[in-house]
Amino acid sequence: MTTDPAARIAELSAELERHNRLYYVEATPMISDFEYDKLYRELQDLEKAHPELRDPDSPTQRVSESPLGGFSQIKHRERMMSLENSYSETEVGEWYARALKTLGATSLETWIEAKVDGVAVSVFYENGRMKYAVTRGDGTTGDDITQNLRTIKGIPLVLPKGGPQTFELRGECYMSKQGFAEMNQQRSEAGEAEFANPRNATAGSLKQLDPRLVALRPLAVIFHGFSSVPGDYVPESQADFHAFLKQTGLKGAELYWRANTLEEVLAAIRELDQKRHGLAYETDGAVVKVNRLSLQKELGVTSKAPRWAIAYKYAPEQAETKLLSIEIQIGRTGVLTPVAYLEPVLISGSTVARATLHNEEEIARKDIRVGDVVIIEKAGEIIPAVVRVRPELRVGDPPQFLMPEACPCCHTPVVREVGQVAVRCPNFYCGEQVKRRLQHFAARGAMDIQGLGETLVEQIVDAKLAKDAADLYQLDEVSLANLERFGQKSAQNLLEGLAKSKQQAPYRLLFGLGIMHVGNNGSQKLLEHFRTIEAVGAASVEELQTCQDVGEIVAQSIHAWFREAENIKLLDRLKTAGLTFALADGAGAPISDKLSGTWVITGTLGQPRPYFEDLIRQHGGKLSGSVSKKTSFLLIGAEAGSKAAKAQGLGVKLVTEPEFFAMLGETGPPPVQGELL
């Protein structure tokens, strides 16, 4: 590292520009936010010590994101800024003291909320309708992403009458942790590159030129403030702004605090650190703002950030451990995924012994080798991932990792499709693929086959008793008798579970088939629309798109699946086995309106979640995955979490399990009747 200030400033500027491009434009970051911020702070300190060397185009003097090719650009009505970051309570205190001094005040009311780790957006409403949405870009001009944001169901396109109709909002577009994990799983199985984290998945989604692809991504937006461009409503404070959001149906922060002293600010930051892991989305810090907008205006802005707000960045929880081996995991579509096996280490409250390595290219880029000491963290608080290695601790010269040329399970030569990073085993009857498909088929949200868990699936496939779902219905006590530690009673229970599953609603069968992009809710809508699985399979791509929420990508996936020779044989055999392929006359229509309204379910309940979902649909209710002002009821079980707190704040009725059954006129769990959608 050079000791010459001018040379080091040039070096840091070039390095930060490279990482800005990787982070904002290509959505493929090579270093963590924490490492980036260390470089950024070093450059800031050098420029402060040597102001004559500061370049107007320095990364410290402007917003980093660049407009993208392929999109038209929109010039911001008012410059869209980023926040000054702080990394210690001392720095927050210094900011607070500066604000007091500038205002000539002895106390200051502040507003504290979570800093959503997403992509900054600005949305302009005119006369009650969304006119445009734009990314931050370089702070002056951003990309026109109007059509992409219009696909996000949580953003109203038309505002309710009676409230403000013309204004510009600033917010963060994000992807939920659960949605991110599910999408990465789907991408892995489809042979597509996985996203590194929810923020990059969001950025990659918004950069799609086809809004139909964006509609498939689990995106949402949280708004945190107005542009100061006058509209027909000017709030007096951040508190007024959040009241306005509730009035218009726009989403704001779930957790927030008002503080009148520095001690209260720091207490709120600490409390948020404890609670943020329960939020549905990633957060990387707390935002502290002066509450009164008139005081915000008085404090003003710097060249790139407001003086009336500061972000406190929480240090990412990481752990150091040893990489023992890299093993290959085979998904139900044949994709080979490398997995790191680690010396167990405690991180984010749980012991981690495995971590995803995504693909061969990612391993090569980070130069990860067996025996290395590695740094891991939980991406999105869910998925453990290897962040980097400690090359200075490497012993000897271990070989670089290479993906196998043949499937580790069935030894079939692997294939690498053009334009895809994934390596795939093409053998449809590869034992590992069969296991994954059968586990999905038997799962609770699909056929819910009692007695057929992951371990038993492993045994059945290893014993060559089943190579597809149809084979399960040919099992008998004689064939099951030779399985290890599997007695007559267990065999009877499994056979009863298989017999019962034949009566499952056809949407469960459709979901259990594992068609790419077709989830549980999508399967229900398809069956409600087409009435039979045969009709779904016979439909053209265009006909499939007439079904609610089925776009071209999903339609093409469904259409292709039903034309694969192995899938055609499987369906014929499942029908011969007596599974339900069609809705009965009148099926899908509510049998009562006892549960009319929109329901959200949270916590651990006495019955599987699909049981309650079916009852809600059967008795006139609708289901949603998140709590909003439109939610009628929140069904709560044990460990209900943040959804219960949010529901109480919105005045949503909380319903316990006994109260739920009482609404049906029952004292305990009633049977689910018939086939439901």
Side-chain angles (χ1 to χ4, degrees), residues 539-613:
S540 66
V541 172
E542 292 73 21
E543 289 169 335
L544 287 165
Q545 290 181 77
T546 63
C547 178
Q548 183 183 0
D549 293 340
V550 175
E552 184 177 358
I553 304 299
V554 177
Q556 288 175 343
S557 176
I558 297 168
H559 188 265
W561 192 94
F562 278 95
R563 278 144 191 84
E564 289 283 345
E566 296 296 342
N567 295 334
I568 294 171
K569 294 177 188 176
L570 173 64
L571 289 169
D572 287 342
R573 294 175 60 225
L574 288 171
K575 191 167 187 180
T576 300
L579 276 70
T580 306
F581 273 58
L583 290 175
D585 290 342
I591 60 175
S592 82
D593 61 358
K594 293 178 180 178
L595 302 179
S596 174
T598 300
W599 289 77
V600 175
I601 302 174
T602 188
T604 303
L605 296 159
Q607 301 289 330
R609 184 164 295 195
Y611 167 86
F612 291 98
E613 291 173 347

Side-chain angles (χ1 to χ4, degrees), residues 457-470:
V457 167
E458 297 265 351
Q459 286 184 274
I460 288 172
V461 176
D462 289 341
K464 302 188 185 307
L465 296 180
K467 64 181 186 302
D468 62 26

Side-chain angles (χ1 to χ4, degrees), residues 44 113 115 129 195 224 260 282 390 460 600 605 628 633:
Q44 273 188 322
E113 61 188 42
K115 184 178 183 296
R129 295 180 178 274
F195 286 109
H224 53 67
N260 291 299
E282 272 201 323
R390 295 280 307 276
I460 288 172
V600 175
L605 296 159
S628 72
F633 306 99

